[in-house]
Amino acid sequence: MGFLTLASLSKVYGDHAAVRDVDLSVAKGEFVSLLGPSGCGKTTTLQMIAGLVEPTRGTITLDGRDITHEKPNTRGLGIVFQSYALFPHMTVAQNVAFGLEMRKVARAERDKRVKTMLGLVHLAQLADRYPRQLSGGQRQRVAIARALVIVPPVLLLDEPLSNLDAKLREEMQFELRRIQQSVGTTTIMVTHDQAEALSISDRVVVMEQGRMTQIDAPYRLYEHPATAFISSFVGKMNRLDGVWRGQGPSGTAQINGVSLPCEQASFPDGQTVALSLRPEKILLRAHGQGRVDGTIVNRFFLGSYWLFTVETPVGALSVSVPNHGEEPAGEGDAVALDWTPASLRVEAITATAGAAA
Amino acid sequence: MQKNGPIALAFHTLVVAFVLAPLLVICLVAFTPENTLSIPTTSFSLRWFREIFVHPDFVASFVNSLWLATLSATIAIALAVPAGLAIDRYDFPGRDGLNALFLSPLIIPHLVLGVAFLRLFALIGATGSFTWLVVSHVIIVTPYVLRLVLAALSGMDRSAEQAAMTLGASHWTVFRRVTAPMILPGITGGWLLAFINSFDELTMSIFVTSPATVTLPVRMYMYATESIDPMMAAVSALMIALTAGAMLVLDRAFGLDKILVGQK
Ligand SMILES: Nc1ncnc2c1ncn2[C@@H]1O[C@H](COP(=O)(O)OP(=O)(O)O)[C@@H](O)[C@H]1O
Ligand SMILES: [Mg+2]
């Protein structure tokens, strides 16, 4: 039994199910991300946990206690809103002290805890500023401090980094993880940014149209996406349609008559299949020395790696190659592509999807 | 911010001049030593200001108006804030009706209201009652307050209230510590607007005041129908000075733009 458990949690608005039968068990101290595209029900799920949205069905259990119908002000959870929702008429210190004041913590104790918390988020010098005098990243840290100072059993974060610019977002990801680890609070973060979810979570929950479709550790999610949607949503992925030739396990996947070595699989002859291969699992070789030949049509330099688009008889493939400090092959060059068979994944395409392909 | 072009600048200057010129003229006339409304040229005199104080009815009316405006503006706030919260936050049957009811005095001519209240007060035997005078003023100033409160409520970030709630605040505490301070510009602006509207309301008050409750505008009107002398200008000048003074104090204490426009 987890520390925080959601069982068949659902929310229906009129005839639209925003969240459907979500089951999730979060362990104490764990950092879990809810990942999914906009409108898939992440915020609704989080707000049900917080008590700000009444669930249509299902239960929420915290540390063995059923909190499904408890008021938000008695749940004691810490929440960081997407807009940060700071109190504009209070200083940073007053914002952070608010939750302690509600708990009737004595003045001296309160000041001490606010000070410690502001130190933790590196805002000690800005204690007397008003939110409007702070940058986006500073506001976000005030929001985190305000939520954490009450020592909540669970910290809920709704897209806490989405209002920050790219560089700051990356810094704050790790900052967030550092803070979470130093206080050890069980954390659930909502995000639509897969890189963010993968980099700082213990586990990632993928949501699609109100449902949870996969719950896994980040690397497992990346290596073994459960659905076609997840494989394209999480990281870059080459996806090609092919057919299975030959009977059962002795057969191979083919596209336009070219056989492509792939993972162990078994399909009936003539089955249409979807092939997926990560760009970084493909190696660039000299022409004629790989599994398929091709021509480089595009080359992008991305700092730590190069990204190529290679036109081949089986279709255009993205290939990423780490930057070793030398200039690699350029546009128009003839090359060959190689990969280990296990990294090429094969899935049967259902009849309707196959007909469209 | 875009700089104003020369035409825009000239336009603004003209608008300000048109608005301020009559006030300025009145203030100058108030210092005339003559018996007629004239701009003093050779010497200034305070005789018309002294004249006010030998008319104790003016002083009484002034105090009366001050009380009336303060009370009606304050009661209007007490009505408009809960009403605004209900209209903004909840979807209940009759919500639009309530909104329309509260705003309707805006579109009813004060003349009509005056006659209606005159009849009503006569019927219930409230003629000459200060309390009922306050009631009538509350009715005409509440729409202004409600409009400003509603604007402030719809402009505020609701998640701040949710944040306060999750931090352990009760509904009342959320209102007192978060909602009210966040809509304070709307409340203060509404109060000021209501105060000013009540303080210089004439049309309706002519009907509903009795000799015991004559307001300052009504007193001035009655006086002016009989005789026109520079004492009117002196009273006006005092009122202008008082308003300006109040604004100055408010600005010093809270910052006017913060109260009326909202903090940025
Ligand atoms: N109060 C509401 N009334 C009706 N529909 C809502 C309400 N809140 C959210 N929804 C709908 O529920 C779905 C999920 O919303 P949300 O949880 O905010 O998605 P996310 O946070 O993943 O972007 C959306 O289709 C949204 O339009
Ligand atoms: Mg959302």
Side-chain angles (χ1 to χ4, degrees):
Chain A
M1 202 61 188
F3 182 62
L4 176 72
T5 312
L6 313 182
S8 314
L9 198 63
S10 309
K11 179 67 192 181
V12 180
Y13 287 114
D15 56 359
H16 169 75
V19 176
R20 304 184 230 186
D21 292 315
V22 161
D23 290 298
L24 176 67
S25 178
V26 181
K28 198 161 187 163
E30 199 177 15
F31 193 124
V32 172
S33 290
L34 296 186
L35 173 66
S38 180
C40 72
K42 307 178 298 288
T43 297
T44 307
T45 307
L46 203 73
Q47 299 219 320
M48 284 194 283
I49 301 173
L52 298 169
V53 167
E54 178 83 7
T56 311
R57 245 177 309 112
T59 55
I60 305 165
T61 323
L62 176 66
D63 205 7
R65 182 167 56 107
D66 185 342
I67 58 164
T68 317
H69 301 291
E70 210 168 293
K71 290 257 182 304
N73 54 1
T74 55
R75 293 190 187 200
L77 306 183
I79 302 170
V80 174
F81 291 82
Q82 187 166 358
S83 62
Y84 307 146
L86 298 179
F87 307 132
H89 54 290
M90 297 185 200
T91 63
V92 168
Q94 286 166 344
N95 264 278
V96 177
F98 189 84
L100 297 175
E101 240 179 281
M102 294 302 117
R103 281 164 179 67
K104 311 235 175 336
V105 174
R107 186 67 190 242
E109 164 81 2
R110 199 162 77 202
D111 291 348
K112 204 180 90 207
R113 279 166 70 179
V114 168
K115 210 168 161 207
T116 315
M117 191 46 70
L118 287 179
L120 182 74
V121 297
H122 304 317
L123 283 177
Q125 300 82 15
L126 304 182
D128 296 323
R129 294 254 187 110
Y130 283 91
R132 63 179 180 279
Q133 302 168 311
L134 303 179
S135 71
Q138 290 166 340
R139 282 179 205 183
Q140 190 243 19
R141 278 179 285 163
V142 177
I144 293 175
R146 186 179 66 178
L148 280 178
V149 78
I150 59 172
V151 199
V154 177
L155 177 65
L156 304 170
L157 305 161
D158 192 354
E159 312 237 7
L161 307 173
S162 64
N163 290 334
L164 308 178
D165 56 50
K167 180 99 171 69
L168 189 59
R169 188 154 65 223
E170 198 168 298
E171 282 171 24
M172 288 306 296
Q173 274 175 32
F174 300 111
E175 181 75 2
L176 196 60
R177 182 62 163 165
R178 174 188 71 80
I179 296 168
Q180 189 265 340
Q181 281 176 332
S182 68
V183 289
T185 309
T186 310
T187 303
I188 300 181
M189 177 177 81
V190 157
T191 178
H192 64 265
D193 182 335
Q194 48 97 17
E196 198 171 291
L198 295 185
S199 61
I200 55 176
S201 324
D202 295 314
R203 281 194 302 159
V204 178
V205 176
V206 184
M207 289 189 72
E208 294 173 54
Q209 296 176 354
R211 286 182 201 286
M212 289 194 176
T213 48
Q214 187 170 6
I215 307 178
D216 248 325
Y219 76 94
R220 287 198 46 84
L221 195 73
Y222 188 84
E223 295 298 331
H224 304 281
T227 67
F229 169 79
I230 299 176
S231 70
S232 58
F233 191 66
V234 177
K236 281 199 182 64
M237 183 67 95
N238 289 299
R239 288 187 66 81
L240 301 166
D241 291 326
V243 284
W244 191 258
R245 288 289 170 222
Q247 212 37 255
S250 59
T252 67
Q254 290 191 356
I255 298 174
N256 301 333
V258 181
S259 282
L260 302 170
C262 63
E263 63 174 354
Q264 290 287 323
S266 169
F267 298 102
D269 185 42
Q271 166 78 51
T272 52
V273 289
L275 306 176
S276 38
L277 183 59
R278 295 269 184 211
E280 74 276 13
K281 301 278 166 75
I282 305 177
L283 301 167
L284 275 192
R285 299 228 187 276
H287 191 70
Q289 292 179 8
R291 299 185 192 271
V292 285
D293 288 331
T295 313
I296 295 175
V297 291
N298 275 316
R299 189 186 75 176
F300 302 102
F301 179 53
L302 297 170
S304 61
Y305 64 99
W306 296 85
L307 187 66
F308 299 91
T309 308
V310 180
E311 194 60 53
T312 71
V314 300
L317 292 171
S318 292
V319 179
S320 70
V321 175
N323 172 18
H324 294 303
E326 290 144 34
E327 194 178 345
E331 285 167 14
D333 289 355
V335 290
L337 305 183
D338 192 12
W339 59 87
T340 57
S343 58
L344 180 67
R345 307 229 310 138
V346 189
E347 289 161 296
I349 297 179
T350 55
T352 50
Chain B
M1 259 293 178
Q2 203 178 331
K3 276 262 172 70
N4 282 319
I7 294 183
L9 206 63
F11 178 74
H12 291 313
T13 314
L14 275 177
V15 168
V16 171
F18 269 114
V19 171
L20 288 184
L23 300 184
L24 196 72
V25 169
I26 283 290
C27 289
L28 286 176
V29 170
F31 290 95
T32 188
E34 310 293 325
N35 280 327
T36 52
L37 291 173
S38 57
I39 295 181
T41 43
T42 47
S43 63
F44 292 88
S45 148
L46 291 176
R47 66 176 275 210
W48 294 111
F49 288 95
R50 277 195 298 273
E51 186 73 19
I52 300 172
F53 294 95
V54 299
H55 284 81
D57 46 348
F58 265 85
V59 180
S61 288
F62 172 77
V63 173
N64 187 46
S65 274
L66 213 57
W67 272 111
L68 176 63
T70 309
L71 277 171
S72 18
T74 310
I75 295 171
I77 292 284
L79 288 176
V81 171
L85 280 168
I87 290 166
D88 185 66
R89 301 293 164 80
Y90 301 100
D91 206 6
F92 53 92
R95 176 172 165 264
D96 292 338
L98 185 71
N99 194 10
L101 180 73
F102 267 107
L103 298 181
S104 60
L106 273 184
I107 52 164
I108 302 177
H110 286 194
L111 190 69
V112 176
L113 281 172
V115 175
F117 280 123
L118 183 67
R119 281 296 300 148
L120 177 73
F121 290 178
L123 273 176
I124 61 174
T127 316
S129 144
F130 180 72
T131 313
W132 285 94
L133 180 62
V134 172
V135 170
S136 65
H137 272 231
V138 167
I139 287 171
I140 55 164
V141 298
T142 302
Y144 297 99
V145 185
L146 186 63
R147 288 298 278 275
L148 264 78
V149 168
L150 277 177
L153 279 173
S154 68
M156 84 170 266
D157 178 13
R158 293 289 309 277
S159 56
E161 294 177 335
Q162 298 187 326
M165 209 180 290
T166 61
L167 288 167
S170 64
H171 280 291
W172 170 242
T173 310
V174 170
F175 175 75
R176 199 170 47 85
R177 297 289 309 274
V178 178
T179 317
M182 282 177 79
I183 61 167
L184 188 65
I187 294 179
T188 339
W191 192 91
L192 276 175
L193 213 59
F195 181 92
I196 292 167
N197 260 285
S198 164
F199 196 79
D200 70 18
E201 207 293 326
L202 172 67
T203 321
M204 186 191 73
S205 302
I206 287 180
F207 290 88
V208 294
T209 51
S210 69
T213 58
V214 170
T215 62
L216 189 58
V218 176
R219 176 77 61 199
M220 287 169 75
Y221 175 75
M222 295 190 322
Y223 188 86
T225 50
E226 287 159 17
S227 57
I228 293 194
D229 64 34
M231 192 182 90
M232 284 297 96
V235 174
S236 308
L238 274 183
M239 280 174 69
I240 292 167
L242 210 79
T243 317
M247 290 291 180
L248 218 74
V249 170
L250 268 175
D251 190 39
R252 273 297 165 85
F254 304 106
L256 264 190
D257 47 350
K258 201 156 116 187
I259 294 170
L260 294 175
V261 187
Q263 48 209 69
K264 194 68 214 118

